[in-house]
Amino acid sequence: MTTTADTIRLTTAQAIIRWLSNQFIEIDGREMRVCGGGFGIFGHGNVTCLGEALYGVQDVLPLYRGQNEQGMGFAAAGYAKQWLRQRFMFCTASAGPGTANLLTAAGLAHANRLPMLMLCGDAFLTRLPDPVLQQMENFGDPTFGVNDAFKPVSRYWDRITHPAQVIQSLPAALATLLDPADCGPAFIGLPQDVQGWTYEYPNAFFEKKVHRIRRISPDAEEIKDAVALLQRAERPMIIAGGGVQYSRAVAELTAFAEKHQIPVVETIAGRANMLANHPLNIGPIGVTGSDSANAIAESADVILAVGTRLQDFTTGSWTAFSKDARFISINAARHDAGKHRSLPVVGDAKLSLQILGAALEYSTPKDWTAKAQEERKNWDAYVASNVAHGNRPNSYAQAIGVVNDLCDTRDRVVAAAGGLPAEVTANWRTLDIGTVDVEFGFSCMGYEISGAWGARIAQCEREPDRDTIVFIGDGSYMMMNSDLYSSVLSQKKLIVLVLDNGGFAVINKLQNNTGNESFNNLLADCPTIPQPFSVDFEANAASQGAIAETVSNPTELAEAFKRAKASDRSHVIVMKVDPYEGWTTEGHAWWEVGTPHVTTSEKVRKAHVDWEASRDKQRKGV
């Protein structure tokens, strides 16, 4: 390494890491590195050069050793969610299958609009040793490789073919990661030879820089239009999405709703925008929602959607609303603000709610607000009955109720895929703001433990005395559980509830609800499994260093959860739940799924007719 007054000679890899370690952000008056560190699995494509660069900065950019690249990406997503997209982690993987394993995680980050930086090995730029180990040869285009598969699931994509390129590429990638509208994963491909090539970099490039996340002020005319529409509303409603939290606009949302007495419903990503006992919180909306939220959604005439992309589980595949209802969408992303003929307010949620609230002189008719509150009262009574135990088989809802009663208000709850997102969304009673992470943007099995590990790393940076609690089914646990081992190794304690229903039970339920016979979902219904048996999840968890125990019922679960809270390392509690009788049966909106139009089964034919009967309620894009 040589230096002059104006330049420093570094390898490409060294320059990337030096630059990254000097990027900061101000959060709540405190400066900290915008990158919290990284997750890495080394191979020949990243160990010799990038590994050498990372070794020298391990005190400021800690590198967590992953067990699976996909899990690393999930952990990075969980970390970014916990930090409300203000900070991120990088993932580094070797060329070939190591990098390819990150594809699913990139899809998850893209769907959920989460920042994640991928620094991945690539084939040699010179091609002198071609074909190399793990290289995918494309005979018609030698520049085309595995890393190009990340283009559809990245918000920013680049391949470094010369050391000088990082001077432009790195700031562009970071700008994407911190952009409220375009936020998502950034991929940088690093050919193995280029990683070690040197360049005389300007010293100024590595100067400390403090970043701020941009807040876009809404257009005055769009605010004016939104005011005019809201002032005519007789039955208004607010849909609060995940963007409310990312904008740190929870207080503004609450103040706006209270000033105008407008009922608020939450999306899956927007859970924990309001406390469960807030009088204007009418519950979660949509397919995995509540009778209360869906009842007022069906009658609302003006709907203010804040920070939501209006996914089908929110809209009931666009059957949850009156066809005459008008939408106003506040969103930093233009693409989301204009959906379904919404009157767009393109801007930051915090600023937009402040400006809209100041301009709006309006109060919701009292009978509408009272109706919404009565609906929520009825829903609360149903949930209380649903989570109670002692008179029916073990269920997800009962386990959720036990944890909800015993956890700390600031504990973080993580769930994803299968039946648990619906059960947590419907039955969890929010105790504090921003404490629920239900990953249902990509609905990715395996996110639960890995994402929770990343969330716990972030939680330890601000709230080390609180816990991260995982709800996971046996199917997702079998798909990816190795970051339980990571949590023990890194001393980032998790509390994991493994709720065993004998297979992929929620898809079996969908299979049965569409008239199909149980097939290939529950272990007992797989013709290729002559003698089904259960995994010893307790032994599996213990073998990874966790404290583990099995309980028979919710009463035993409560005592085990108390022990888990007092534990000093990851603690796994296993309980069998019923695959048939334990589901939450209320609160659902219609969801469009493809059903056979022609079949030899009378049950399937009848289910198709019944399913399609609700289609006439669907808004056809307008």
Side-chain angles (χ1 to χ4, degrees):
M1 182 185 300
T2 60
T3 61
T4 67
D6 299 316
T7 66
I8 181 171
R9 188 183 185 198
L10 298 170
T11 68
T12 303
Q14 291 163 357
I16 290 171
I17 301 308
R18 177 176 287 229
W19 183 87
L20 199 58
S21 65
N22 282 297
Q23 307 307 304
F24 288 75
I25 191 166
E26 183 179 306
I27 302 174
D28 299 328
R30 176 186 167 201
E31 282 187 9
M32 57 189 72
R33 284 180 174 81
V34 67
C35 180
F39 299 97
I41 295 178
F42 286 137
H44 66 273
N46 64 341
V47 67
T48 56
C49 294
L50 195 64
E52 184 268 348
L54 286 166
Y55 180 82
V57 296
Q58 54 189 288
D59 56 332
V60 296
L61 291 179
L63 185 66
Y64 291 87
R65 180 190 178 280
Q67 315 304 322
N68 178 289
E69 290 86 359
Q70 181 172 306
M72 294 186 337
F74 291 164
Y79 182 93
K81 276 192 179 186
Q82 178 81 353
W83 272 105
L84 298 177
R85 305 196 310 188
Q86 298 168 97
R87 301 182 74 204
F88 64 89
M89 298 282 267
F90 68 82
C91 295
T92 180
S94 187
T99 287
N101 281 345
L102 276 168
L103 265 171
T104 301
L108 180 143
H110 192 288
N112 287 281
R113 319 290 171 83
L114 295 171
M116 176 176 72
L117 176 62
M118 291 169 283
L119 302 173
C120 295
D122 207 333
F124 288 89
L125 188 67
T126 64
R127 303 184 198 161
L128 292 175
D130 285 8
V132 299
L133 180 68
Q134 300 175 335
Q135 180 179 351
M136 185 192 78
E137 291 185 88
N138 189 298
F139 308 136
D141 182 357
T143 67
F144 188 66
V146 168
N147 289 1
D148 293 271
F150 284 83
K151 290 178 178 178
V153 291
S154 298
R155 289 285 191 172
Y156 180 87
W157 188 98
D158 199 1
R159 176 180 283 123
I160 304 302
T161 58
H162 188 280
Q165 286 179 347
V166 302
I167 297 174
Q168 186 276 335
S169 183
L170 292 176
L174 184 56
T176 301
L177 296 172
L178 296 181
D179 190 281
D182 291 336
C183 184
F187 181 93
I188 297 181
L190 299 171
Q192 295 168 63
D193 44 4
V194 178
Q195 286 183 50
W197 291 355
T198 60
Y199 185 73
E200 298 290 334
Y201 290 96
N203 285 319
F205 181 60
F206 303 107
E207 292 175 355
K208 176 182 175 180
K209 181 170 183 179
V210 180
H211 299 266
R212 293 175 182 84
I213 295 177
R214 184 181 301 108
R215 291 191 182 277
I216 301 296
S217 293
D219 181 81
E221 292 302 312
E222 292 185 347
I223 289 289
K224 183 178 178 181
D225 291 343
V227 167
L229 183 55
L230 277 168
Q231 285 178 332
R232 300 195 302 270
E234 297 179 2
R235 300 176 302 282
M237 181 184 81
I238 296 171
I239 300 177
V244 172
Q245 292 182 41
Y246 293 145
S247 177
R248 280 85 72 209
V250 167
E252 287 71 21
L253 170 77
T254 304
F256 182 91
E258 289 175 346
K259 176 183 177 182
H260 306 292
Q261 286 297 291
I262 302 177
V264 178
V265 302
E266 295 178 328
T267 69
I268 298 173
R271 290 292 270 115
N273 276 324
M274 299 183 86
L275 300 184
N277 59 5
H278 192 286
L280 291 173
N281 183 352
I282 310 304
I285 188 174
V287 179
T288 58
S290 59
D291 286 344
S292 50
N294 289 334
I296 69 165
E298 193 172 28
S299 301
D301 60 348
V302 177
I303 298 160
L304 177 62
V306 185
T308 171
R309 62 194 184 103
L310 296 173
Q311 182 220 39
D312 65 342
F313 264 68
T314 298
T315 67
S317 299
W318 290 102
T319 63
F321 315 104
S322 165
K323 290 183 179 179
D324 296 328
R326 294 291 307 276
F327 278 79
I328 302 166
S329 288
I330 295 176
N331 208 294
R334 171 188 55 80
H335 174 79
D336 292 317
K339 288 176 178 172
H340 275 245
R341 292 185 67 241
S342 290
L343 191 159
V345 177
V346 179
D348 171 71
K350 188 183 187 81
L351 294 181
S352 297
L353 285 169
Q354 289 173 340
I355 295 169
L356 181 61
L360 181 63
E361 296 298 329
Y362 168 86
S363 186
T364 302
K366 292 182 179 179
D367 60 341
W368 172 247
T369 303
K371 170 181 167 57
Q373 291 170 332
E374 184 64 24
E375 293 283 358
R376 176 60 195 250
K377 182 179 177 181
N378 294 337
W379 178 251
D380 285 344
Y382 170 76
V383 169
S385 172
N386 199 39
V387 301
H389 50 89
N391 59 353
R392 62 193 177 108
N394 294 347
S395 69
Y396 284 162
Q398 292 169 358
I400 290 164
V402 167
V403 173
N404 215 166
D405 286 341
L406 295 174
C407 71
D408 186 271
T409 58
R410 289 299 304 163
D411 287 345
R412 187 169 184 82
V413 175
V414 179
L420 278 162
E423 298 294 320
V424 171
T425 300
N427 294 291
W428 187 262
R429 303 177 304 284
T430 299
L431 304 175
D432 207 341
I433 300 300
T435 53
V436 178
D437 175 7
V438 177
E439 194 292 291
F440 220 54
F442 209 49
S443 181
C444 211
M445 295 179 72
Y447 171 83
E448 297 91 338
I449 293 174
S450 297
W453 179 41
R456 178 61 183 154
I457 292 170
Q459 187 184 48
C460 285
E461 293 170 343
R462 289 190 291 183
E463 299 178 293
D465 294 333
R466 301 284 73 86
D467 281 305
T468 297
I469 303 164
V470 181
F471 288 104
I472 186 170
D474 55 303
S476 281
Y477 183 92
M478 289 301 295
M479 192 165 286
M480 185 171 291
N481 60 66
S482 57
D483 282 324
L484 177 61
Y485 181 50
S486 301
S487 75
V488 177
L489 287 173
S490 59
Q491 298 184 357
K492 297 296 185 284
K493 173 195 168 186
L494 302 176
I495 299 176
V496 181
L497 280 73
V498 181
L499 302 174
D500 179 6
N501 54 24
F504 303 138
V506 73
I507 294 302
N508 181 71
K509 181 165 76 89
L510 176 62
Q511 197 171 46
N512 294 162
N513 288 347
T514 54
N516 289 280
E517 300 298 329
S518 295
F519 171 57
N520 207 55
N521 286 312
L522 297 179
L523 296 174
D525 300 319
C526 296
T528 54
I529 302 177
Q531 294 181 308
F533 65 93
S534 296
V535 170
D536 188 338
F537 294 106
E538 180 182 337
N540 179 276
S543 74
Q544 297 188 64
I547 299 170
E549 54 184 305
T550 301
V551 300
S552 300
N553 54 58
T555 301
E556 292 181 5
L557 173 61
E559 295 306 312
F561 185 76
K562 294 174 186 177
R563 291 189 289 272
K565 288 288 291 180
S567 174
D568 62 353
R569 69 178 190 270
S570 291
H571 197 119
V572 176
I573 307 169
V574 183
M575 185 177 80
K576 286 188 178 296
V577 295
D578 192 277
Y580 301 106
E581 302 300 327
W583 303 106
T584 296
T585 57
E586 302 296 327
H588 306 308
W590 187 73
W591 183 40
E592 181 168 1
V593 296
T595 56
H597 288 228
V598 177
T599 177
T600 58
S601 167
E602 179 58 24
K603 285 174 59 180
V604 172
R605 188 201 66 78
K606 184 178 183 305
H608 168 72
V609 172
D610 292 344
W611 207 280
E612 289 295 308
S614 294
R615 186 178 293 279
D616 62 351
K617 298 167 61 178
Q618 191 174 45
R619 292 164 64 104
K620 302 297 191 293
V622 295

